[in-house]
Amino acid sequence: MELLKNKIRQEGKVLSEEVLKVDSFLNHQIDPLLMQEIGKEFVKRFSDQNITRIITIESSGIAPATMAGMILGVPVVFARKRKSLTLTDHLYSAKVYSFTKKESNDISVSQDFISNEDTVLLIDDFLANGQAALGLIDIAKQAGATIAGVGIVIEKCFQPGGDLIRKEGVRLESLAELQSLKNGQVQFVGEENNG
């Protein structure tokens, strides 16, 4: 998706060989027009799947998931990372380790919002080590839902997450695939290294 790649080139900040900061348009401040285009792209890629519900994880997956849900006309459910007074019973839960935050969280979705009658699309902002996506897959499987696939805004292909998702037998569609962040440069899959 060229629009997304251009935004990453213009506003993304390479903090290390493993960390790309995109908080100016994706996971702190949100560019709504870009999110709308991302939503359209996810819908296009999964249009043959009869999706009934989109599942994401708080908080950075919510914007792209909501745009896709709006276009499809289906509900968007986000897995909660923290317990709340209103979300205590009848939950599907999975443990997710965040390499960025160096902590584990139990993510939870109410059983009221996902069932074995659903075909779900799982959406998240980044795919690196795959733990968040695997947690969402686990929750969908606990519910007996059909998994249409995983839609990722930015995949770091030099980390193992993509391979782990494919080993689960789940379709993976990433809108921007990073090959490398070496030497402070963003290199996308399929591009020649200019550094």
Side-chain angles (χ1 to χ4, degrees), residues 57 79 93-96 107 122 130-142 165:
I57 189 166
S93 295
K95 190 165 285 301
V96 171
I107 61 169
L122 310 174
Q131 298 305 298
L134 289 171
L136 292 175
I137 289 168
D138 184 12
I139 285 173
K141 287 181 175 179
Q142 288 176 50
I165 303 307

Side-chain angles (χ1 to χ4, degrees), residues 18-91:
E18 293 188 345
V19 179
L20 174 66
K21 186 175 180 180
V22 289
D23 65 348
S24 68
F25 62 91
L26 179 59
N27 53 22
H28 192 47
Q29 175 173 268
I30 295 168
D31 179 334
L33 296 177
L34 177 62
M35 290 307 114
Q36 185 174 34
E37 293 306 312
I38 285 169
K40 287 179 186 174
E41 186 65 23
F42 281 136
V43 169
K44 185 172 96 179
R45 292 188 186 202
F46 290 98
S47 63
D48 59 340
Q49 295 296 307
N50 299 316
I51 294 160
T52 61
R53 197 168 303 270
I54 295 174
I55 312 288
T56 189
I57 189 166
E58 67 176 348
S59 61
S60 300
I62 293 173
T66 298
M67 291 300 186
M70 186 172 67
I71 295 162
L72 284 172
V74 301
V76 175
V77 179
F78 62 91
R80 306 282 298 259
K81 291 181 185 173
R82 289 171 187 79
K83 297 280 187 218
S84 82
L85 294 175
T86 60
L87 190 67
T88 56
D89 296 323
H90 309 293
L91 303 175

Side-chain angles (χ1 to χ4, degrees), residues 2 4 10 16 18 48 57-58 75 84 87 93 96 102 110 114 124 133 149 151 153 158 191:
E2 280 307 309
L4 175 60
Q10 292 164 7
S16 73
E18 293 188 345
D48 59 340
I57 189 166
E58 67 176 348
S84 82
L87 190 67
S93 295
V96 171
K102 306 281 189 238
S110 170
I114 182 174
D124 205 5
V153 178
F158 52 88
E191 288 182 343

Side-chain angles (χ1 to χ4, degrees), residues 4-5 7-27 100 125-126 128 153-156 158-159 176-181 184-188:
L4 175 60
K5 288 181 181 178
K7 193 75 161 178
I8 292 168
R9 285 184 193 103
Q10 292 164 7
E11 295 184 31
K13 294 182 175 112
V14 178
L15 300 184
S16 73
E17 290 188 359
E18 293 188 345
V19 179
L20 174 66
K21 186 175 180 180
V22 289
D23 65 348
S24 68
F25 62 91
L26 179 59
N27 53 22
T100 310
D125 62 337
F126 267 95
V153 178
I154 302 170
E155 178 182 353
K156 294 192 266 180
F158 52 88
Q159 291 181 288
E177 297 173 310
L178 301 178
Q179 182 66 50
S180 169
L181 295 173
Q185 299 294 311
V186 173
Q187 182 185 351
F188 295 101

Side-chain angles (χ1 to χ4, degrees), residues 93-111:
S93 295
K95 190 165 285 301
V96 171
Y97 180 75
S98 169
F99 288 86
T100 310
K101 296 178 181 162
K102 306 281 189 238
E103 65 183 24
S104 286
N105 286 300
D106 286 324
I107 61 169
S108 302
V109 170
S110 170
Q111 292 177 11

